[in-house]
Amino acid sequence: FARDGDRVTVSFSGILRQRSWNGVQSCPPAAPALHYTLRYAMGTDARAELTMTLRSPVERPAAQAFFALRVPVADFAGWRRGSEQGAAGAARGVRLGAEGSPAEPLILRTRAGNLIVRAGTGLARMFAIEGDRGACQLFLALADGPIPLLPPQATLSAEATLEGEAAEAE
């Protein structure tokens, strides 16, 4: 934890050691292990700035890769990105908002209001996948497709901003 006036930064770091949480990973974790850092910076407003970084201690060849931070979102009601949108229950299990322009935010509607997600530098893709019982998962992908050769100690990093917007009173 670090505080600078009204801003607080919370950082987590570690080593990726296990298969993905949902069983879709078809290969063992990278070896030698990849190091990660997640950093959230928050102030007094309803916004969090996220930075995520992967670092390899050894050279990694160019490859196809998927690596994303998964953020659970409760009470999902629908989504919008640019001119595309959908209601909850219309398309479960598919990537919602994945094909939008990087400049367009992904807006996830909930009963409590909107979660507005904006891509920052390095973010490969952002999308949501609706699950059961009114929940969805927001995916912020650092890698989603080909990645270049990584020299030893090189990093991949990405940024995103998550902002809450309260529901309008009826």
Side-chain angles (χ1 to χ4, degrees), residues 28-50:
L34 289 166
H35 299 258
Y36 73 88
T37 302
L38 293 174
R39 183 172 295 118
Y40 300 91
M42 298 153 275
T44 57
D45 56 7
R47 191 170 63 131
E49 297 164 1
L50 164 69

Side-chain angles (χ1 to χ4, degrees), residues 5 51-52 79 100-101 108 114 119 121 145 150 155:
T51 304
M52 56 184 157
W79 67 278
S101 161
L108 301 178
N114 294 329
T121 304
L150 291 175
T155 60

Side-chain angles (χ1 to χ4, degrees), residues 15-156:
I15 298 172
L16 300 176
R17 304 171 205 235
Q18 299 174 325
R19 290 181 182 264
S20 63
W21 64 275
N22 63 359
V24 299
Q25 182 176 339
S26 60
C27 60
L34 289 166
H35 299 258
Y36 73 88
T37 302
L38 293 174
R39 183 172 295 118
Y40 300 91
M42 298 153 275
T44 57
D45 56 7
R47 191 170 63 131
E49 297 164 1
L50 164 69
T51 304
M52 56 184 157
T53 303
L54 285 178
R55 181 179 53 81
S56 175
V58 298
E59 180 176 282
R60 304 273 178 175
Q64 292 283 343
F66 180 78
F67 179 81
L69 176 65
R70 180 181 61 94
V71 180
V73 178
D75 296 329
F76 178 67
W79 67 278
R80 184 178 73 227
R81 188 162 189 202
S83 62
E84 301 292 319
Q85 62 182 348
R92 289 193 177 152
V94 299
R95 291 182 173 195
L96 306 172
E99 301 307 320
S101 161
E104 296 172 327
L106 173 59
I107 300 169
L108 301 178
R109 293 190 322 271
T110 72
R111 283 187 243 152
N114 294 329
L115 175 62
I116 303 164
V117 185
R118 290 182 176 85
T121 304
L123 196 68
R125 192 169 320 278
M126 61 184 177
F127 57 90
I129 296 179
E130 182 179 3
D132 293 329
R133 296 180 292 281
C136 85
Q137 304 294 323
L138 167 64
F139 287 82
L140 300 169
L142 176 62
D144 189 10
I147 58 170
L149 176 137
L150 291 175
Q153 304 305 322
T155 60
L156 289 176

